[in-house]
Amino acid sequence: MIDIRWKAFFFVCTLCVISLFVWLFSTAIYALLFFSSTVLAYLAIQVIDIHALQKWFKKPQLQAVPEGVGLSENIFSALLRYERANQQKKNELNAALERFNTVANAIPDGLVILSESNEIEWCTSNAESQLGLDLKTDLHLPIANLVRNSNFIAYLNSEDYEEPYKLKGVRNTEVILEIWLIALGSKQKLLISRDITQLEKIDSMRRDFIANVSHELRTPLTVVGGFIETLSDMEGAIPENIRNYFSMMQDQTTRMRRLIEDLLTLSHIESNTQPPEDRPIAMQGMVKMLFNDANALSQGKHKISCEFAENLDLLGAVDELQSALGNLVSNAVRYTPTGGTIHISWQQRGKQAVFSVIDNGIGIEQQHISRLTERFYRVDRGRSRETGGTGLGLAIVKHILTRHQAKLEISSELGAGSTFSAIFPAARVVHK
Ligand code: ADP
């Protein structure tokens, strides 16, 4: 199509030439009349076109773009091209959005996009059924008004989403959901809900099985151990040449008893999902007791020291924490050769409180450190067994600390020693 400027130029030139001819063959008045009437007719056509355009803008439809004449023809055909490209982009975007919606709704997890103030901006059909939402009516409503669970609301407002939250019985008391919150940029959040009812059932069956087996084994083992002990103590009951078999049997029954006790402790902590009862614990007394226990266990083979911040106490379950911190202390004694040093400390670190056990014992290679809290994970099975270990100690420690929102930090160097620290959050710290 000819450029609009050329078109205007040709029109003016042609009009002038024709007007000149009219002037030449007639009079100047006729030429002027011809010139002005043509210009007026042209202007009228343009006004009609502009009016058509104005009408079109009120109801813009691709099929109804007006066809102009003259200069407006250029503008209208540019408009048509622009509208066509726009429509194509719209179609592509709609197709992409539809594909995204199909994929998002096919994901078995529920997805919800929340605004900065936790209002629902979008969600999938699985999120609707899992969380009892209805996007049509609940759009832009705060999720806390719809999922009414005080712990969930506390989790939502905590802004600490490192660990998922287990939400029970939103629509059905049987259903357990795992909720993950992920920050999307600085304002929005993505909430992912996953139905873990079956997994939880299997896990609870596993826990029950271990607890039941351990419980059932405890009585016969106590009886067998008791008889072995009685026989060993009875003079002349055991011939001297087989006495060492009896002492081996005694060691093994003691080991099995320890294993069963640890398994029972672990399944008790695992099945007890309620947060521990928060009571103030006098940490000065606890640290002193752990120091005395370490000395009794060491039997003078190590140099043991302790220090504590006097005004610093802790909120938590005293029995559980005593068992967890005691485990760290007994590990330090068991994995530090004779003559080594062990230092127990209870100090403030920023707003947090830290219980540390530092030893210069055998240390641990870096590759093992992340796996130490797994059940039965031992760096050296022989040494663990020799020192009366079950391989469950640090698994118990981790569980207890997690229940107290605390973290276990381990740093170690092979042959140089280890530091095990339990770091408690500010909310659990009590200043006397
Ligand atoms: P165990 O009953 O075998 O001691 P734990 O769960 O308490 O089981 O510890 C797991 C493993 O971590 C131990 O087998 C040991 O290899 C290692 N470990 C724990 N504490 C220490 C420590 N203070 N020094 C060196 N190794 C340690």
Side-chain angles (χ1 to χ4, degrees):
M1 186 169 289
I2 309 164
D3 186 90
I4 196 162
R5 286 165 301 183
W6 282 114
K7 229 180 195 181
F9 177 72
F10 285 138
F11 173 72
V12 172
C13 286
T14 317
L15 187 62
C16 287
V17 169
I18 295 174
S19 301
L20 278 176
F21 271 111
V22 173
W23 191 7
L24 220 70
F25 294 107
S26 175
T27 58
I29 301 236
Y30 278 123
L32 205 65
L33 214 66
F34 171 75
F35 186 86
S36 45
S37 58
T38 313
V39 169
L40 272 177
Y42 196 82
L43 272 178
I45 291 168
Q46 297 308 301
V47 168
I48 291 167
D49 282 354
I50 289 171
H51 174 70
L53 184 65
Q54 197 184 22
K55 226 168 111 187
W56 179 82
F57 270 122
K58 283 186 188 151
K59 209 175 164 195
Q61 274 177 347
L62 183 63
Q63 311 86 301
V65 175
E67 280 175 36
V69 176
L71 297 184
S72 49
E73 186 191 0
N74 283 48
I75 297 169
F76 290 177
S77 55
L79 184 69
L80 186 68
R81 276 198 304 278
Y82 174 78
E83 270 301 302
R84 268 202 198 122
N86 232 358
Q87 189 64 44
Q88 196 176 341
K89 251 190 216 149
K90 231 189 223 170
N91 290 346
E92 278 168 13
L93 270 177
N94 277 343
L97 200 66
E98 214 161 291
R99 263 201 311 275
F100 171 75
N101 266 329
T102 316
V103 172
N105 283 313
I107 295 173
D109 296 348
L111 306 175
V112 185
I113 293 182
L114 299 174
S115 68
E116 195 178 10
S117 46
N118 296 326
E119 283 150 5
I120 297 168
E121 291 191 341
W122 173 84
C123 73
T124 59
S125 52
N126 280 328
E128 286 182 312
S129 60
Q130 286 175 355
L131 297 165
L133 308 173
D134 182 351
L135 192 58
K136 281 190 208 107
T137 52
D138 300 339
L139 192 70
H140 302 311
L141 290 184
I143 194 162
N145 289 3
L146 303 158
V147 182
R148 289 175 172 275
N149 176 304
S150 55
N151 287 334
F152 168 72
I153 295 168
Y155 174 71
L156 196 64
N157 296 331
S158 71
E159 298 194 355
D160 175 11
Y161 309 130
E162 241 176 70
E163 297 289 327
Y165 173 73
K166 274 188 199 161
L167 184 60
K168 279 186 194 159
V170 179
R171 300 191 77 185
N172 177 340
T173 44
E174 301 277 295
V175 175
I176 304 171
L177 297 176
E178 189 175 67
I179 304 285
W180 285 92
L181 274 167
I182 298 163
L184 292 180
S186 59
K187 292 198 170 142
Q188 288 171 313
K189 289 183 204 102
L190 173 65
L191 182 151
I192 305 174
S193 62
R194 178 171 301 168
D195 189 338
I196 54 161
T197 316
Q198 282 309 318
L199 281 177
E200 281 292 302
K201 257 188 201 152
I202 294 167
D203 208 39
S204 132
M205 268 159 65
R206 178 190 60 79
R207 279 198 303 267
D208 288 350
F209 175 74
I210 294 173
N212 290 339
V213 168
S214 310
H215 200 75
E216 291 298 324
L217 281 174
R218 190 150 70 167
T219 316
L221 206 63
T222 311
V223 174
V224 172
F227 279 130
I228 294 172
E229 214 174 308
T230 316
L231 280 172
S232 304
D233 290 347
M234 270 166 70
E235 222 161 283
I238 307 167
E240 267 323 298
N241 56 344
I242 59 163
R243 183 164 277 282
N244 65 332
Y245 295 164
F246 270 74
S247 88
M248 275 159 71
M249 285 199 292
Q250 212 164 357
D251 287 349
Q252 291 306 319
T253 43
T254 311
R255 217 187 111 221
M256 276 171 78
R257 242 186 281 175
R258 226 180 272 139
L259 204 60
I260 282 166
E261 289 310 323
D262 276 1
L263 279 172
L264 281 171
T265 310
L266 198 56
S267 65
H268 173 73
I269 297 167
E270 275 186 332
S271 54
N272 193 356
T273 48
Q274 290 297 316
E277 215 179 310
D278 290 340
R279 294 247 168 91
I281 304 169
M283 285 305 286
Q284 196 174 332
M286 168 101 81
V287 175
K288 277 186 188 160
M289 198 181 70
L290 292 172
F291 172 67
N292 291 338
D293 289 351
N295 276 311
L297 207 65
S298 157
Q299 297 178 333
K301 290 183 196 141
H302 305 95
K303 287 182 211 91
I304 303 173
S305 57
C306 87
E307 62 170 331
F308 43 79
E310 289 187 4
N311 55 355
L312 200 62
D313 279 350
L314 195 59
L315 278 180
V318 65
D319 292 345
E320 286 186 15
L321 285 173
Q322 196 171 315
S323 148
L325 305 184
N327 225 304
L328 298 181
V329 171
S330 83
N331 274 357
V333 174
R334 287 166 45 227
Y335 295 105
T336 302
T338 305
T341 60
I342 294 164
H343 183 67
I344 303 168
S345 108
W346 170 243
Q347 297 295 348
Q348 181 138 10
R349 189 198 283 175
K351 286 184 177 167
Q352 301 169 319
V354 184
F355 175 87
S356 298
V357 185
I358 307 155
D359 66 56
N360 67 349
I362 61 170
I364 307 157
E365 270 181 287
Q366 292 307 306
Q367 80 234 37
H368 297 294
I369 291 184
S370 62
R371 300 197 57 191
L372 292 181
T373 52
E374 288 172 23
R375 283 148 220 232
F376 297 112
Y377 190 86
R378 284 167 283 196
V379 178
D380 178 349
R381 274 179 183 272
R383 186 169 184 121
S384 161
R385 233 174 253 153
E386 251 170 53
T387 57
T390 59
L392 292 170
L394 290 181
I396 295 175
V397 171
K398 171 127 189 253
H399 264 288
I400 294 176
L401 293 186
T402 306
R403 274 163 62 72
H404 287 81
Q405 299 82 44
K407 290 201 170 95
L408 179 65
E409 206 176 71
I410 307 171
S411 65
S412 187
E413 202 182 316
L414 191 65
S418 316
T419 301
F420 284 76
S421 303
I423 302 161
F424 293 91
R428 293 213 163 261
V429 178
V430 180
H431 294 278
K432 281 194 283 186

